[in-house]
Protein backbone atom coordinates (compact mmCIF):
# COMPACT_ATOMS: atom_id res chain seq x y z
CA UNK A 1 0.00 0.00 0.00
CA UNK A 2 2.84 2.36 0.90
CA UNK A 3 4.35 1.95 -2.58
CA UNK A 4 1.15 3.27 -4.13
CA UNK A 5 0.77 6.09 -1.62
CA UNK A 6 4.22 7.52 -2.18
CA UNK A 7 4.76 6.75 -5.83
CA UNK A 8 1.53 7.98 -7.47
CA UNK A 9 2.92 7.50 -10.97
CA UNK A 10 3.73 3.85 -10.35
CA UNK A 11 1.71 1.62 -12.66
CA UNK A 12 0.31 -1.29 -10.66
CA UNK A 13 -2.01 -2.51 -13.38
CA UNK A 14 0.49 -4.78 -15.09
CA UNK A 15 0.44 -8.11 -13.21
CA UNK A 16 2.02 -9.86 -16.21
CA UNK A 17 5.17 -7.70 -16.03
CA UNK A 18 8.17 -9.57 -14.68
CA UNK A 19 10.31 -6.57 -13.92
CA UNK A 20 9.84 -2.82 -13.91
CA UNK A 21 11.75 0.28 -12.88
CA UNK A 22 10.16 3.15 -10.95
CA UNK A 23 9.07 6.46 -12.49
CA UNK A 24 10.23 9.97 -11.69
CA UNK A 25 9.47 11.79 -8.41
CA UNK A 26 10.20 15.28 -9.61
CA UNK A 27 8.17 17.17 -7.02
CA UNK A 28 10.42 15.99 -4.19
CA UNK A 29 13.76 16.16 -5.96
CA UNK A 30 13.13 19.72 -7.18
CA UNK A 31 12.65 20.93 -3.64
CA UNK A 32 15.57 18.99 -2.19
CA UNK A 33 17.96 19.99 -5.00
CA UNK A 34 17.30 23.70 -4.46
CA UNK A 35 17.65 23.31 -0.70
CA UNK A 36 20.79 21.20 -1.11
CA UNK A 37 22.64 23.84 -3.12
CA UNK A 38 21.65 26.58 -0.71
CA UNK A 39 22.86 24.56 2.26
CA UNK A 40 26.04 23.60 0.43
CA UNK A 41 26.91 27.24 -0.38
CA UNK A 42 26.09 28.43 3.15
CA UNK A 43 28.06 25.61 4.76
CA UNK A 44 31.07 26.13 2.52
CA UNK A 45 31.20 29.85 3.23
CA UNK A 46 30.95 29.21 6.96
CA UNK A 47 33.66 26.57 6.90
CA UNK A 48 35.98 28.65 4.75
CA UNK A 49 35.59 31.65 7.07
CA UNK A 50 36.49 29.54 10.09
CA UNK A 51 39.67 28.09 8.61
CA UNK A 52 43.09 29.65 8.89
CA UNK A 53 45.21 30.07 5.80
CA UNK A 54 48.03 27.49 5.45
CA UNK A 55 51.40 28.63 6.76
CA UNK A 56 54.33 29.42 4.50
CA UNK A 57 56.79 26.57 3.98
CA UNK A 58 59.41 28.37 6.01
CA UNK A 59 57.22 28.77 9.07
CA UNK A 60 57.14 26.26 11.91
CA UNK A 61 54.20 23.88 11.80
CA UNK A 62 52.58 21.82 14.52
CA UNK A 63 51.93 18.11 14.35
CA UNK A 64 48.23 18.49 15.18
CA UNK A 65 45.45 17.42 12.84
CA UNK A 66 44.39 20.18 10.45
CA UNK A 67 41.34 19.44 8.28
CA UNK A 68 42.09 22.46 6.08
CA UNK A 69 45.64 21.24 5.49
CA UNK A 70 44.28 17.90 4.32
CA UNK A 71 41.98 19.63 1.87
CA UNK A 72 44.81 21.66 0.39
CA UNK A 73 47.37 18.85 0.45
CA UNK A 74 45.10 16.07 -0.81
CA UNK A 75 45.31 15.97 -4.63
CA UNK A 76 41.87 14.35 -4.85
CA UNK A 77 40.06 16.79 -2.57
CA UNK A 78 41.94 20.02 -3.27
CA UNK A 79 39.52 22.94 -3.61
CA UNK A 80 36.74 20.76 -2.23
CA UNK A 81 35.66 23.55 0.13
CA UNK A 82 35.97 26.36 -2.39
CA UNK A 83 32.87 28.28 -3.47
CA UNK A 84 31.33 27.16 -6.77
CA UNK A 85 31.72 29.56 -9.68
CA UNK A 86 28.03 29.38 -10.56
CA UNK A 87 25.21 30.57 -8.25
CA UNK A 88 22.69 28.25 -6.66
CA UNK A 89 20.80 25.91 -8.98
CA UNK A 90 17.40 27.12 -10.11
CA UNK A 91 15.81 23.85 -9.00
CA UNK A 92 14.55 22.87 -12.47
CA UNK A 93 14.85 19.08 -12.42
CA UNK A 94 14.69 18.74 -16.19
CA UNK A 95 17.54 21.18 -16.74
CA UNK A 96 19.63 19.56 -14.00
CA UNK A 97 19.13 16.11 -15.52
CA UNK A 98 20.13 17.40 -18.95
CA UNK A 99 23.29 18.90 -17.46
CA UNK A 100 24.43 15.81 -15.60
CA UNK A 101 22.79 12.82 -17.33
CA UNK A 102 26.00 11.77 -19.12
CA UNK A 103 28.28 12.21 -16.13
CA UNK A 104 29.89 9.54 -14.04
CA UNK A 105 29.98 6.57 -16.41
CA UNK A 106 33.75 6.36 -16.83
CA UNK A 107 34.96 2.91 -17.93
CA UNK A 108 31.39 1.59 -17.73
CA UNK A 109 29.04 -0.46 -19.88
CA UNK A 110 25.72 -2.25 -19.47
CA UNK A 111 25.90 -6.03 -19.02
CA UNK A 112 22.92 -8.40 -19.26
CA UNK A 113 23.11 -11.06 -16.57
CA UNK A 114 20.14 -13.33 -15.94
CA UNK A 115 16.99 -11.21 -15.90
CA UNK A 116 18.77 -7.96 -15.07
CA UNK A 117 21.09 -5.40 -16.57
CA UNK A 118 24.09 -4.39 -14.50
CA UNK A 119 26.22 -1.30 -14.99
CA UNK A 120 29.84 -2.48 -14.73
CA UNK A 121 33.05 -0.47 -14.88
CA UNK A 122 36.08 -2.25 -16.33
CA UNK A 123 39.74 -1.31 -16.70
CA UNK A 124 42.65 -3.41 -17.93
CA UNK A 125 42.10 -6.62 -19.89
CA UNK A 126 41.74 -10.35 -19.37
CA UNK A 127 45.41 -10.70 -20.36
CA UNK A 128 46.54 -8.48 -17.47
CA UNK A 129 49.49 -10.24 -15.90
CA UNK A 130 48.73 -9.68 -12.22
CA UNK A 131 45.19 -11.01 -11.98
CA UNK A 132 41.65 -9.69 -11.52
CA UNK A 133 40.30 -7.32 -8.86
CA UNK A 134 36.56 -6.97 -8.20
CA UNK A 135 35.50 -3.81 -6.33
CA UNK A 136 32.18 -3.79 -4.45
CA UNK A 137 30.58 -0.59 -3.15
CA UNK A 138 28.26 -0.03 -0.19
CA UNK A 139 24.91 1.74 0.27
CA UNK A 140 23.69 4.29 -0.67
CA UNK A 141 26.52 4.93 -3.15
CA UNK A 142 27.77 3.35 -6.40
CA UNK A 143 30.86 2.03 -8.19
CA UNK A 144 31.76 5.58 -9.27
CA UNK A 145 33.71 5.85 -6.00
CA UNK A 146 36.31 3.39 -7.36
CA UNK A 147 36.94 5.14 -10.71
CA UNK A 148 40.37 6.55 -9.77
CA UNK A 149 41.56 3.47 -7.89
CA UNK A 150 40.64 0.97 -10.61
CA UNK A 151 42.11 3.15 -13.35
CA UNK A 152 45.48 3.28 -11.59
CA UNK A 153 45.43 -0.38 -10.57
CA UNK A 154 45.00 -1.40 -14.21
CA UNK A 155 48.16 0.57 -14.98
CA UNK A 156 49.93 -1.70 -12.51
CA UNK A 157 48.84 -4.77 -14.47
CA UNK A 158 45.45 -5.72 -12.95
CA UNK A 159 42.14 -6.43 -14.68
CA UNK A 160 39.51 -4.51 -12.69
CA UNK A 161 35.72 -4.72 -12.45
CA UNK A 162 33.43 -2.52 -10.36
CA UNK A 163 29.69 -3.21 -10.71
CA UNK A 164 26.77 -1.16 -9.42
CA UNK A 165 24.74 -3.53 -7.27
CA UNK A 166 21.21 -4.25 -8.49
CA UNK A 167 19.06 -1.36 -7.25
CA UNK A 168 21.98 1.07 -7.11
CA UNK A 169 23.80 3.47 -9.41
CA UNK A 170 23.05 2.82 -13.07
CA UNK A 171 22.06 -0.86 -12.74
CA UNK A 172 18.46 -2.11 -12.93
CA UNK A 173 16.11 -1.21 -10.07
CA UNK A 174 13.44 -3.95 -10.16
CA UNK A 175 10.28 -3.50 -8.17
CA UNK A 176 10.08 -5.95 -5.23
CA UNK A 177 7.83 -8.85 -6.11
CA UNK A 178 8.83 -8.76 -9.77
CA UNK A 179 11.80 -11.13 -9.74
CA UNK A 180 13.92 -9.49 -7.02
CA UNK A 181 13.14 -8.75 -3.36
CA UNK A 182 16.47 -7.23 -2.21
CA UNK A 183 17.43 -10.00 0.18
CA UNK A 184 20.99 -11.06 0.95
CA UNK A 185 20.41 -14.41 -0.76
CA UNK A 186 19.21 -12.78 -3.98
CA UNK A 187 22.12 -10.32 -4.07
CA UNK A 188 24.50 -13.28 -3.74
CA UNK A 189 22.78 -15.28 -6.47
CA UNK A 190 22.79 -12.40 -8.96
CA UNK A 191 26.41 -11.58 -8.17
CA UNK A 192 27.39 -15.19 -8.92
CA UNK A 193 25.64 -14.95 -12.28
CA UNK A 194 27.41 -11.68 -13.07
CA UNK A 195 30.84 -13.15 -12.34
CA UNK A 196 30.09 -15.95 -14.80
CA UNK A 197 28.98 -13.51 -17.49
CA UNK A 198 32.07 -11.36 -16.96
CA UNK A 199 34.29 -14.43 -17.16
CA UNK A 200 36.00 -13.71 -13.85
CA UNK A 201 38.25 -16.64 -13.09
CA UNK A 202 38.79 -17.80 -9.54
CA UNK A 203 40.61 -17.11 -7.38
CA UNK A 204 40.55 -13.32 -7.68
CA UNK A 205 41.22 -10.29 -5.51
CA UNK A 206 38.16 -8.78 -3.80
CA UNK A 207 37.83 -5.22 -2.44
CA UNK A 208 34.74 -4.32 -0.38
CA UNK A 209 33.60 -1.10 1.28
CA UNK A 210 30.53 0.22 3.04
CA UNK A 211 27.22 -0.62 4.64
CA UNK A 212 24.41 -2.97 3.65
CA UNK A 213 25.30 -4.24 0.15
CA UNK A 214 28.94 -3.83 1.14
CA UNK A 215 28.25 -6.23 4.02
CA UNK A 216 26.59 -8.61 1.56
CA UNK A 217 29.87 -8.60 -0.36
CA UNK A 218 31.66 -9.79 2.76
CA UNK A 219 29.12 -12.52 3.54
CA UNK A 220 29.44 -13.65 -0.09
CA UNK A 221 33.19 -13.99 0.48
CA UNK A 222 32.56 -16.08 3.60
CA UNK A 223 30.45 -18.48 1.54
CA UNK A 224 32.99 -18.62 -1.31
CA UNK A 225 36.47 -18.65 0.27
CA UNK A 226 37.89 -20.79 -2.53
CA UNK A 227 37.14 -18.00 -5.03
CA UNK A 228 39.12 -15.40 -3.07
CA UNK A 229 42.87 -15.00 -3.44
CA UNK A 230 43.19 -11.99 -1.14
CA UNK A 231 40.59 -9.75 0.47
CA UNK A 232 40.86 -6.00 1.08
CA UNK A 233 38.27 -4.24 3.22
CA UNK A 234 37.84 -0.49 3.26
CA UNK A 235 35.81 1.18 6.02
CA UNK A 236 32.90 -1.19 6.66
CA UNK A 237 30.89 -2.41 9.67
CA UNK A 238 32.77 -5.49 10.87
CA UNK A 239 31.68 -6.21 14.45
CA UNK A 240 28.40 -6.34 16.35
CA UNK A 241 29.47 -3.11 18.07
CA UNK A 242 29.58 -1.25 14.75
CA UNK A 243 27.19 1.75 14.85
CA UNK A 244 24.38 1.85 12.30
CA UNK A 245 24.04 5.32 10.70
CA UNK A 246 20.84 7.25 11.22
CA UNK A 247 19.91 7.00 7.53
CA UNK A 248 19.32 3.25 7.75
CA UNK A 249 17.43 3.61 11.02
CA UNK A 250 15.13 6.22 9.46
CA UNK A 251 14.47 4.01 6.45
CA UNK A 252 13.11 1.29 8.74
CA UNK A 253 10.45 3.59 10.22
CA UNK A 254 7.04 3.04 8.54
CA UNK A 255 5.91 5.98 6.35
CA UNK A 256 8.88 8.13 7.42
CA UNK A 257 11.14 5.77 5.51
CA UNK A 258 9.12 6.25 2.33
CA UNK A 259 9.73 9.99 2.47
CA UNK A 260 13.40 9.61 3.43
CA UNK A 261 14.22 7.28 0.54
CA UNK A 262 13.04 9.86 -2.02
CA UNK A 263 15.53 12.50 -0.92
CA UNK A 264 17.53 13.14 -4.11
CA UNK A 265 20.60 14.36 -2.21
CA UNK A 266 20.65 11.40 0.17
CA UNK A 267 23.80 9.74 -1.21
CA UNK A 268 25.95 12.87 -1.36
CA UNK A 269 24.87 13.94 2.12
CA UNK A 270 25.67 10.46 3.46
CA UNK A 271 29.16 10.63 1.93
CA UNK A 272 29.87 14.11 3.25
CA UNK A 273 28.60 13.27 6.73
CA UNK A 274 31.17 10.47 6.97
CA UNK A 275 34.07 12.46 5.51
CA UNK A 276 36.27 15.43 6.45
CA UNK A 277 35.54 16.90 3.00
CA UNK A 278 32.69 18.44 1.07
CA UNK A 279 32.16 16.85 -2.34
CA UNK A 280 32.92 18.97 -5.35
CA UNK A 281 29.75 19.74 -7.29
CA UNK A 282 30.86 17.62 -10.26
CA UNK A 283 31.16 14.57 -7.98
CA UNK A 284 27.97 15.31 -6.05
CA UNK A 285 26.11 15.43 -9.38
CA UNK A 286 27.01 11.81 -10.12
CA UNK A 287 26.01 10.45 -6.72
CA UNK A 288 22.77 12.45 -6.94
CA UNK A 289 21.86 11.47 -10.50
CA UNK A 290 20.23 8.03 -9.91
CA UNK A 291 18.07 9.39 -7.08
CA UNK A 292 17.21 12.52 -9.06
CA UNK A 293 16.20 10.78 -12.28
CA UNK A 294 13.99 8.07 -10.76
CA UNK A 295 12.32 6.96 -7.56
CA UNK A 296 13.66 3.44 -8.13
CA UNK A 297 17.01 3.70 -6.29
CA UNK A 298 15.33 5.14 -3.21
CA UNK A 299 12.71 2.42 -3.04
CA UNK A 300 15.39 -0.24 -3.68
CA UNK A 301 17.42 1.11 -0.76
CA UNK A 302 14.29 1.24 1.38
CA UNK A 303 13.47 -2.40 0.64
CA UNK A 304 17.02 -3.63 1.27
CA UNK A 305 17.30 -1.67 4.53
CA UNK A 306 14.05 -3.15 5.80
CA UNK A 307 14.86 -6.71 4.76
CA UNK A 308 18.35 -6.87 6.31
CA UNK A 309 19.03 -7.98 9.88
CA UNK A 310 22.03 -5.81 10.68
CA UNK A 311 22.94 -7.59 13.91
CA UNK A 312 22.82 -11.01 12.26
CA UNK A 313 24.94 -9.87 9.30
CA UNK A 314 27.55 -8.27 11.56
CA UNK A 315 27.67 -11.37 13.71
CA UNK A 316 28.29 -13.50 10.61
CA UNK A 317 31.13 -11.21 9.56
CA UNK A 318 32.82 -11.00 12.96
CA UNK A 319 32.64 -14.76 13.55
CA UNK A 320 33.29 -15.83 9.97
CA UNK A 321 36.59 -13.97 9.62
CA UNK A 322 37.88 -14.94 13.08
CA UNK A 323 40.91 -17.14 13.74
CA UNK A 324 40.31 -20.79 12.92
CA UNK A 325 37.57 -19.99 10.42
CA UNK A 326 39.33 -17.80 7.85
CA UNK A 327 42.94 -18.14 6.76
CA UNK A 328 43.14 -15.99 3.59
CA UNK A 329 45.06 -12.69 3.85
CA UNK A 330 42.95 -9.63 4.70
CA UNK A 331 44.07 -6.01 4.45
CA UNK A 332 42.05 -3.38 6.30
CA UNK A 333 42.49 0.02 4.64
CA UNK A 334 40.90 2.39 7.14
CA UNK A 335 40.19 6.11 6.87
CA UNK A 336 40.67 7.32 10.44
CA UNK A 337 38.40 10.36 9.97
CA UNK A 338 35.33 8.15 9.42
CA UNK A 339 32.39 9.79 11.24
CA UNK A 340 30.35 6.56 11.17
CA UNK A 341 32.86 3.87 12.10
CA UNK A 342 35.65 4.69 14.55
CA UNK A 343 39.14 3.23 14.27
CA UNK A 344 38.34 0.97 17.24
CA UNK A 345 36.05 -1.11 14.99
CA UNK A 346 38.99 -1.97 12.71
CA UNK A 347 41.23 -2.74 15.69
CA UNK A 348 38.59 -4.97 17.30
CA UNK A 349 38.14 -6.85 14.03
CA UNK A 350 41.91 -7.32 13.66
CA UNK A 351 42.16 -8.73 17.18
CA UNK A 352 39.81 -11.52 16.11
CA UNK A 353 42.36 -12.85 13.60
CA UNK A 354 45.72 -11.06 14.00
CA UNK A 355 47.58 -13.59 11.86
CA UNK A 356 45.48 -13.05 8.73
CA UNK A 357 44.43 -9.40 9.16
CA UNK A 358 46.74 -6.45 8.60
CA UNK A 359 45.63 -2.87 9.30
CA UNK A 360 46.65 0.14 7.19
CA UNK A 361 45.44 3.48 8.54
CA UNK A 362 44.79 6.32 6.08
CA UNK A 363 45.18 9.69 7.75
CA UNK A 364 42.94 12.40 6.34
CA UNK A 365 40.39 10.01 4.82
CA UNK A 366 36.87 9.34 6.04
CA UNK A 367 34.25 6.65 5.48
CA UNK A 368 35.06 6.31 1.77
CA UNK A 369 38.87 6.46 1.52
CA UNK A 370 38.68 5.49 -2.16
CA UNK A 371 36.87 8.80 -2.75
CA UNK A 372 38.60 10.94 -0.13
CA UNK A 373 42.18 9.97 -0.85
CA UNK A 374 42.44 7.35 -3.63
CA UNK A 375 46.21 7.83 -4.05
CA UNK A 376 46.87 6.35 -0.61
CA UNK A 377 44.41 3.50 -1.22
CA UNK A 378 46.11 2.71 -4.52
CA UNK A 379 49.51 2.53 -2.87
CA UNK A 380 48.22 0.24 -0.12
CA UNK A 381 46.52 -2.11 -2.60
CA UNK A 382 49.47 -2.12 -4.98
CA UNK A 383 51.85 -3.28 -2.26
CA UNK A 384 49.35 -5.78 -0.80
CA UNK A 385 48.23 -7.43 -4.07
Amino acid sequence: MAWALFSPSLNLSLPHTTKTNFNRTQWFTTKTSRAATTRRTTSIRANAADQKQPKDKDEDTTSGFSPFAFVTDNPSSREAIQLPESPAEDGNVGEMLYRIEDKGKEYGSYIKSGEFIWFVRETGSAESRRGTIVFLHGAPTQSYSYRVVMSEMSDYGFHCFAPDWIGFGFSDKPQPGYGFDYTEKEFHEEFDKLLDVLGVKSPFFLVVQGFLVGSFGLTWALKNPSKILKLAILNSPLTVSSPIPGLFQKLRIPLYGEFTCQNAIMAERFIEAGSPYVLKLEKADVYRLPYLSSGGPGFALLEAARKVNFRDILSQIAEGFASGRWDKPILLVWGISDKYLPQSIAEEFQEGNPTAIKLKLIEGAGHMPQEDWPEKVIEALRVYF
Side-chain angles (χ1 to χ4, degrees):
M1 185 65 178
W3 294 87
L5 285 172
F6 297 100
S7 185
S9 60
L10 183 64
N11 186 350
L12 298 180
S13 62
L14 301 174
H16 63 279
T17 303
T18 57
K19 177 172 68 69
T20 182
N21 291 333
F22 300 108
N23 295 321
R24 299 177 186 275
T25 52
Q26 293 185 353
W27 65 273
F28 191 89
T29 55
T30 299
K31 181 178 179 181
T32 54
S33 298
R34 184 187 302 115
T37 309
T38 301
R39 285 196 300 271
R40 178 186 300 280
T41 304
T42 302
S43 174
I44 291 171
R45 284 173 177 160
N47 290 340
D50 292 340
Q51 302 294 346
K52 295 181 179 180
Q53 293 297 324
K55 295 184 178 181
D56 293 334
K57 290 187 293 184
D58 296 333
E59 294 184 27
D60 292 333
T61 58
T62 62
S63 59
F65 175 79
S66 171
F68 187 78
F70 279 122
V71 171
T72 55
D73 293 344
N74 183 345
S76 293
S77 297
R78 187 176 292 122
E79 299 177 354
I81 65 168
Q82 302 305 309
L83 290 172
E85 295 180 2
S86 58
E89 300 289 348
D90 62 6
N92 186 306
V93 175
E95 290 184 10
M96 292 181 68
L97 285 172
Y98 179 77
R99 176 173 61 81
I100 66 178
E101 62 183 353
D102 293 326
K103 283 188 175 182
K105 297 185 179 180
E106 293 91 335
Y107 319 117
S109 62
Y110 292 94
I111 304 294
K112 180 70 181 296
S113 174
E115 295 297 317
F116 306 110
I117 296 177
W118 294 65
F119 181 79
V120 182
R121 300 173 197 271
E122 179 181 8
T123 59
S125 68
E127 289 73 38
S128 297
R129 67 186 186 280
R130 300 186 64 182
T132 300
I133 307 175
V134 177
F135 296 88
L136 298 179
H137 69 86
T141 64
Q142 52 173 289
S143 63
Y144 176 73
S145 65
Y146 287 116
R147 67 199 178 281
V148 177
V149 174
M150 64 187 301
S151 174
E152 292 294 321
M153 292 304 289
S154 66
D155 290 341
Y156 287 115
F158 293 96
H159 188 199
C160 303
F161 291 103
D164 286 345
W165 284 105
I166 294 296
F168 294 83
F170 300 108
S171 289
D172 271 354
K173 291 92 179 171
Q175 179 184 344
Y178 288 83
F180 197 79
D181 287 326
Y182 297 93
T183 63
E184 177 193 16
K185 179 176 181 291
E186 289 172 310
F187 277 111
H188 287 177
E189 290 173 349
E190 295 304 323
F191 182 57
D192 280 326
K193 295 176 185 177
L194 178 65
L195 291 177
D196 289 339
V197 171
L198 295 176
V200 176
K201 298 179 180 179
S202 300
F204 58 89
F205 302 107
L206 181 65
V207 179
V208 179
Q209 187 274 329
F211 287 92
L212 195 54
V213 285
S215 296
F216 292 162
L218 292 177
T219 55
W220 180 90
L222 287 173
K223 296 175 181 178
N224 297 274
S226 63
K227 297 182 180 181
I228 305 299
L229 189 59
K230 289 184 178 180
L231 174 65
I233 305 174
L234 283 59
N235 297 53
S236 302
L238 299 171
T239 67
V240 292
S241 61
S242 299
I244 304 302
L247 170 63
F248 301 109
Q249 299 179 37
K250 293 176 183 177
L251 289 169
R252 295 165 74 91
I253 300 174
L255 299 183
Y256 187 65
E258 277 76 3
F259 280 107
T260 299
C261 78
Q262 291 305 300
N263 184 344
I265 62 169
M266 172 172 50
E268 64 192 88
R269 284 291 177 247
F270 181 85
I271 295 169
E272 291 177 338
S275 167
Y277 309 111
V278 175
L279 285 171
K280 294 181 182 179
L281 182 59
E282 62 193 43
K283 297 179 182 179
D285 281 345
V286 179
Y287 288 110
R288 181 190 310 152
L289 178 56
Y291 296 94
L292 184 65
S293 59
S294 165
F299 283 121
L301 176 63
L302 176 75
E303 194 71 13
R306 289 181 172 177
K307 291 285 178 65
V308 69
N309 183 325
F310 283 106
R311 180 168 293 276
D312 177 65
I313 291 293
L314 295 179
S315 178
Q316 287 183 51
I317 292 171
E319 295 174 6
F321 289 109
S323 296
R325 304 190 66 175
W326 182 271
D327 59 1
K328 301 291 181 68
I330 298 177
L331 176 67
L332 287 182
V333 182
W334 205 267
I336 63 175
S337 296
D338 190 337
K339 308 295 179 56
Y340 299 123
L341 299 168
Q343 181 179 328
S344 59
I345 298 298
E347 294 171 341
E348 180 184 350
F349 182 70
Q350 183 186 30
E351 290 174 0
N353 193 345
T355 302
I357 302 173
K358 306 300 179 186
L359 176 59
K360 172 66 175 179
L361 300 177
I362 305 295
E363 190 175 19
H367 180 63
M368 290 174 60
Q370 73 271 31
E371 181 68 79
D372 288 346
W373 211 314
E375 296 81 6
K376 292 187 177 183
V377 174
I378 292 165
E379 181 60 20
L381 294 181
R382 184 186 67 80
V383 174
Y384 174 58
F385 290 151

